[in-house]
Amino acid sequence: MADTLTVVPHPRRRSAARVWRDRLPGIVMGGPAVLVFLAMFIVPMFLAFVLSLTDWNGYSLNFTFIGLDNYAEAFRNPRTVDAAIFTAVVAFFGTVLCNGVGLTIAALISGSGRANTLMRTIFFYPYIISALIIGFLWSAMLAPEGAVNGLLGHLGVPPVPFLTEVAFAKASVILTIVWSHFGFNMILFLAGIKSVPTEYYEAATVDGASRWQQFRNVTLPLIAPVFTVNLVLTLVGLLKVYDIVLALTDGGPAGSTQTIVYQILRDSFAQSELGFGAAQSVILLLVTAVLGLAVTFARRGAEQKVAD
Amino acid sequence: MRRYPTPRRRLRAPGVGTVLKWVLLGAAALVMLVPLYIMVINAFKPQEAIISSPLAIGPDTFSLEYLQAALTSEKFNVVRAYGVTLLFVALVNVFGIALAAPVAYVIARGRSRWHLGLLLLFVSGLFIPGQVTLIPVVFVLRVLGLINTIPGFILFETAATLPVTIFLFAAYLRTVPRDIDEAAALDGAGKIRAFWACIFPIMRPVVATIVVLNSISVWNDFVSPQIILGPGSGIYTVTTGVYAAVGEFSTDYTTVFPTLLLAVTPAILFFVLMQRHIIGGLVAGATKG
């Protein structure tokens, strides 16, 4: 940019040395970030694919190529298939519930005033606590002798096997995720709702629209882009859910709450089958990318309506 | 008999809808707060009292010994973990910003296809889940000899912050007028010095956003320190330390609750102090990304 101030007599005939001298600051400024990014993102992404074709055990740097065996194994292995199905269930119900609860509460507390701000804080705070700690906290509370069963006992309700019976454990995982995550969705919805110009509501009121009609016909269409962001972020985030499961159920009972990342990390590091883990990672990456893009494109329609 | 409110009364007294709304919100708020309450009070009670009356606390059962035991536990040195995690948070912030700010400036000021390509390259990182690259990252770090070391961990965490940081920085720098670059150039400062001396100080708001976002993600990260540092390294962050301390004793509540309380307190304090920045930062990070 210094060029704009110095007088350059023959701009088209700058020598190669001159060109590089002008580029040098840019390279010095951009180079380190590019190098770090290549080493920790781009190279590993390609390596993930290469390693997925091998039987690497994670320790030695000797391994053999075994073709697509790891991929075939991923579709055959019942543990991986079960984990994939449970992950899909968590991602689906988690996304629906986080956004449903988040939007409902955002709509209820979108006004100004202290009470609304306080509510916002209360609903949001779990989001900044590590998922691992959330998992341990709920694990302690939902245990057979935990606080929740203690309370139910006082009410005369027999103990509920929240974490020890398959169906309950699955529901507990999903509800714990929703408890800790919907506040984030709520915050984004709130930002969207607050950015709707008040004139729109005034016009709707003049037309005699009820509160519900206003929400339905003014707010919802106008926050369509926020809705898309919320859906994509929640879905993509839940496809890789791990920490909370590890702490809450450790994949149990009987492996019924293992997610795909739980499976990947266990195969890779506990079982030393990093090649197999890498193959599952590549599948997860593809599924994440396809679903993320699919939701984004599917939502285009809803967003387009606003633009018209 | 039900009395219907006169129109004048309706102005003052809240409607049925409003009452119902606040009853509902109040109940939901209880569901959010009771777990926090249970964690706090049960950190000061013996096992039998935790199980028999999880919601109550009285002078007869109150004791500081469990919290003290957790503080001085040999399995998990909480104070040390605070220090280690804070150090990691600081290093990742410093390196991440030092790497991202200049490249974001080059991208924001560049007009060629190369600059757009560079932006797209970094932004593609937003869509690559960390868990996917973790296995090959272990491979790369092993080749570099950095596996199970702090530099290796910092390198990975710093790289992980780059996509969001560069994206937000570049978006912000586009709004900074070029006049400032030119004024700096007039003063005879080189391009790099001009950036750090004149442009970077203007970026303070977006730097604050990024510091908040990165700090939360590094503080809460569990998988990367667990895998890259590994239990063998003897270096524990708050999360890997909690996992080591609580993971095997999850039915000994006199260990669980005090340990969780200690692990959560800094995050809650940070949240209370920085709430506006955290929420603003998350909204900016999510909606601009």
Side-chain angles (χ1 to χ4, degrees):
Chain A
M1 305 314 115
D3 289 349
T4 50
L5 290 165
T6 44
V7 182
V8 183
H10 302 292
R12 281 186 204 152
R13 284 197 198 160
R14 288 190 302 176
S15 67
R18 175 75 200 266
V19 169
W20 281 106
R21 212 184 63 200
D22 286 350
R23 281 185 188 162
L24 192 63
I27 293 169
V28 172
M29 291 173 92
V34 174
L35 273 183
V36 168
F37 189 74
L38 285 179
M40 291 288 111
F41 263 95
I42 304 299
V43 170
M45 211 180 61
F46 286 104
L47 260 179
F49 182 69
V50 175
L51 289 172
S52 72
L53 305 173
T54 72
D55 62 353
W56 186 42
N57 64 11
Y59 302 105
S60 74
L61 292 177
N62 299 322
F63 46 81
T64 49
F65 280 86
I66 55 171
L68 293 172
D69 284 8
N70 284 327
Y71 289 90
E73 173 66 17
F75 288 101
R76 246 193 338 249
N77 189 319
R79 281 188 303 124
T80 307
V81 173
D82 286 351
I85 293 172
F86 181 60
T87 308
V89 168
V90 169
F92 178 78
F93 287 104
T95 305
V96 169
L97 288 173
C98 281
N99 285 290
V101 177
L103 179 61
T104 308
I105 292 191
L108 291 178
I109 63 166
S110 62
S112 53
R114 281 211 179 155
N116 288 314
T117 316
L118 178 69
M119 283 295 162
R120 186 187 70 177
T121 306
I122 292 172
F123 292 123
F124 177 71
Y125 88 87
Y127 185 79
I128 56 125
I129 297 173
S130 148
L132 186 85
I133 290 169
I134 302 270
F136 279 130
L137 177 57
W138 277 98
S139 160
M141 288 193 305
L142 294 176
E145 290 192 313
V148 177
N149 273 323
L151 287 178
L152 290 177
H154 285 300
L155 300 172
V157 181
V160 180
F162 289 108
L163 302 174
T164 46
E165 233 169 63
V166 173
F168 281 104
K170 289 183 172 182
S172 299
V173 167
I174 294 172
L175 291 177
T176 306
I177 289 171
V178 173
W179 182 85
S180 67
H181 195 280
F182 82 86
F184 174 74
N185 303 82
M186 176 200 74
I187 289 291
L188 293 192
F189 281 128
L190 268 177
I193 291 173
K194 287 188 173 172
S195 69
V196 175
T198 45
E199 295 88 59
Y200 288 24
Y201 293 118
E202 285 159 15
T205 313
V206 171
D207 288 347
S210 69
R211 292 286 291 275
W212 167 247
Q213 283 172 325
Q214 289 184 25
F215 180 73
R216 185 69 228 279
N217 299 317
V218 179
T219 315
L220 267 190
L222 283 171
I223 62 168
V226 175
F227 217 122
T228 307
V229 168
N230 256 330
L231 287 178
V232 172
L233 286 182
T234 316
L235 182 68
V236 168
L238 289 183
L239 286 175
K240 49 183 193 183
V241 66
Y242 171 72
D243 300 12
I244 209 162
V245 170
L246 179 74
L248 187 62
T249 62
D250 197 9
S256 60
T257 58
Q258 291 181 358
T259 60
I260 198 74
V261 170
Y262 186 97
Q263 197 63 37
I264 290 173
L265 292 175
R266 208 182 72 151
D267 286 336
S268 303
F269 300 106
Q271 315 271 350
S272 296
E273 294 174 3
L274 272 85
F276 184 41
Q280 296 175 77
S281 304
V282 171
I283 295 173
L284 175 65
L285 174 68
L286 292 178
V287 170
T288 305
V290 168
L291 281 181
L293 289 175
V295 173
T296 311
F297 279 108
R299 293 286 307 163
R300 273 277 166 81
E303 289 177 33
Q304 211 71 54
K305 272 190 217 145
V306 189
D308 294 342
Chain B
M1 283 292 280
R2 197 170 158 198
R3 282 189 295 147
Y4 292 94
T6 61
R8 220 184 60 199
R9 264 196 69 199
R10 193 182 283 168
L11 280 178
R12 270 186 247 149
V16 182
T18 314
V19 171
L20 193 70
K21 174 181 122 176
W22 285 102
V23 168
L24 220 121
L25 285 172
L30 268 185
V31 173
M32 301 311 291
L33 290 176
V34 165
L36 194 63
Y37 170 78
I38 287 177
M39 180 178 68
V40 174
I41 62 158
N42 287 317
F44 302 97
K45 283 156 58 176
Q47 179 89 352
E48 315 82 67
I50 294 173
I51 291 171
S52 62
S53 48
L55 284 184
I57 181 107
D60 48 329
T61 52
F62 180 89
S63 161
L64 282 173
E65 85 181 81
Y66 309 105
L67 196 66
Q68 197 187 356
L71 257 175
T72 54
S73 158
E74 281 174 17
K75 286 225 147 81
F76 171 40
N77 188 333
V78 188
V79 180
R80 204 180 121 98
Y82 285 159
V84 167
T85 316
L86 262 183
L87 177 74
F88 290 169
V89 166
L91 287 174
V92 170
N93 270 312
V94 168
F95 288 123
I97 290 166
L99 285 176
V103 79
Y105 177 66
V106 171
I107 289 170
R109 288 296 186 255
R111 294 191 180 94
S112 73
R113 274 179 301 150
W114 288 97
H115 295 104
L116 184 66
L118 203 56
L119 181 64
L120 287 178
L121 174 77
F122 284 117
V123 169
S124 72
L126 291 173
F127 302 101
I128 306 174
Q131 286 87 344
V132 170
T133 50
L134 199 57
I135 295 167
V137 159
V138 168
F139 185 94
V140 172
L141 290 176
R142 199 171 285 288
V143 171
L144 295 174
L146 291 175
I147 194 75
N148 300 334
T149 69
I150 292 179
F153 174 70
I154 299 294
L155 183 65
F156 176 75
E157 287 281 30
T158 301
T161 67
L162 287 180
V164 178
T165 310
I166 290 173
F167 191 79
L168 285 186
F169 279 5
Y172 186 86
L173 281 167
R174 290 232 166 87
T175 69
V176 173
R178 283 167 192 266
D179 307 3
I180 296 171
D181 304 24
E182 284 157 21
L186 268 184
D187 286 348
K191 201 176 169 187
I192 298 169
R193 242 195 74 202
F195 170 73
W196 288 112
C198 302
I199 309 289
F200 186 70
I202 305 172
M203 293 169 63
R204 188 187 284 196
V206 72
V207 169
T209 299
I210 281 299
V211 167
V212 165
L213 293 182
N214 290 350
S215 303
I216 294 176
S217 71
V218 174
W219 182 275
N220 285 340
D221 196 1
F222 166 68
V223 178
S224 334
Q226 181 78 359
I227 301 287
I228 295 179
L229 291 173
S233 68
I235 306 160
Y236 288 102
T237 65
V238 173
T239 52
T240 59
V242 166
Y243 183 67
V246 171
E248 35 190 321
F249 305 106
S250 52
T251 52
D252 177 6
Y253 298 132
T254 57
T255 310
V256 174
F257 287 115
T259 308
L260 294 183
L261 178 63
L262 289 172
V264 157
T265 304
I268 299 269
L269 283 180
F270 182 70
F271 176 60
V272 169
L273 292 174
M274 306 284 289
Q275 197 195 153
R276 198 169 294 170
H277 290 278
I278 293 171
I279 289 176
L282 282 170
V283 170
T287 51
K288 284 179 190 153

